[in-house]
Amino acid sequence: MKFSPHISRAGILVCLALTCASSQAAKISLDDCDLITAKPLRADFKDWLVKNRKLAADGNVEAQTYVAAEASNRLACLEEKITEKSGWSVTMTSGDGTSETTSNPGIPNIKKNADAYAALKDAVKYTHQAGANDPVYRGMSAQLVLRYQAVLPEALETAYEDVAGANQLECVLKRKFGNRDAQHACSSHRTTLSQLTTKVSAERRAALDQKAQQWAVDFPVK
């Protein structure tokens, strides 16, 4: 799921400036499906991706958001190509505050498509990683796992903890993160959390809720 302001998605439209060896700047747009799904990858983009994945693994927060955006957008591009349905997820909010989200239901039998399955695993991995410092990505990672739970059963507990932490931070403690629309964010968190609750045992939920709450309490909101 791609996302933008009140169109919510599992990646971020990021347009980055990459300084090449020639010292000339080349634009890399992470919502360019032709760029991020190309085979082989364009040389400058491949170099950028390798560099930022390494930085992300070393704990660079900015790089973590970049690689999370790339992976989730790559998945959305492949979803749209394979299913012939938009990879965008649109949330409509009515005047009384209720909301309804419609999105691509995902790729059936995704394991049979190597590129899409790799993109899914990357998207879950990197959005979870970025979620250590960003409740937006915690929610996104959880939503991805929920959508593809049939092939990601081992990730359900982590997904529950991720969205429980985001919910604690933004909806229970009501700590504002950036320019987020709290009403929209909390509606999304509550829906995801409710669905994941049925997938995780009560005993495990108790332990995960404790960890999620501690993350939210310790989170350095500026």
Side-chain angles (χ1 to χ4, degrees):
M1 319 176 254
K2 296 179 186 174
F3 84 126
S4 71
H6 244 64
I7 296 177
S8 128
R9 62 161 194 150
I12 295 179
L13 296 182
V14 182
C15 190
L16 308 171
L18 170 68
T19 303
C20 304
S22 63
S23 296
Q24 293 180 343
K27 289 292 185 180
I28 290 180
S29 178
L30 295 185
D31 66 324
D32 182 345
C33 289
D34 291 336
L35 174 69
I36 64 179
T37 64
K39 281 190 169 185
L41 292 176
R42 201 174 74 192
D44 60 341
F45 177 59
K46 182 177 180 179
D47 290 345
W48 175 90
L49 194 56
V50 170
K51 174 185 175 181
N52 278 277
R53 284 180 174 177
K54 184 179 186 303
L55 288 171
D58 291 340
N60 184 288
V61 174
E62 186 176 49
Q64 288 175 349
T65 63
Y66 290 163
V67 296
E70 183 279 328
S72 54
N73 280 3
R74 176 161 36 99
L75 175 62
C77 289
L78 292 169
E79 286 179 339
E80 187 165 355
K81 179 180 179 180
I82 293 167
T83 66
E84 298 184 344
K85 295 179 180 179
S86 174
W88 292 81
S89 172
V90 181
T91 300
M92 302 298 294
T93 304
S94 65
D96 61 4
T98 59
S99 62
E100 179 180 356
T101 300
T102 58
S103 63
N104 186 322
I107 300 169
N109 303 313
I110 192 170
K111 278 189 173 182
K112 293 183 178 180
N113 187 302
D115 289 340
Y117 188 49
L120 171 62
K121 290 189 291 184
D122 282 348
V124 171
K125 173 184 176 180
Y126 291 124
T127 52
H128 169 70
Q129 183 182 66
N133 299 289
D134 190 331
V136 179
Y137 279 103
R138 289 179 78 95
M140 288 158 49
S141 190
Q143 289 169 19
L144 279 174
V145 173
L146 187 60
R147 290 177 69 201
Y148 287 101
Q149 59 184 285
V151 295
L152 297 169
E154 74 286 352
L156 286 169
E157 289 191 3
T158 299
Y160 178 89
E161 182 185 340
D162 276 348
V163 73
N167 186 66
Q168 278 287 327
L169 181 74
E170 298 191 283
C171 313
V172 178
L173 299 179
K174 300 186 185 302
R175 301 177 69 186
K176 186 172 178 59
F177 182 79
N179 296 318
R180 289 266 279 171
D181 180 335
Q183 182 178 2
H184 171 66
C186 291
S187 175
S188 176
H189 293 332
R190 284 193 296 268
T191 298
T192 305
L193 189 60
S194 174
Q195 291 176 294
L196 283 168
T197 294
T198 64
K199 314 296 180 184
V200 181
S201 70
E203 181 180 0
R204 289 299 301 148
R205 289 202 309 273
L208 296 169
D209 282 335
Q210 186 174 15
K211 291 173 65 178
Q213 183 176 26
Q214 192 61 54
W215 174 84
V217 169
D218 293 341
F219 191 81
V221 173
K222 297 179 181 179

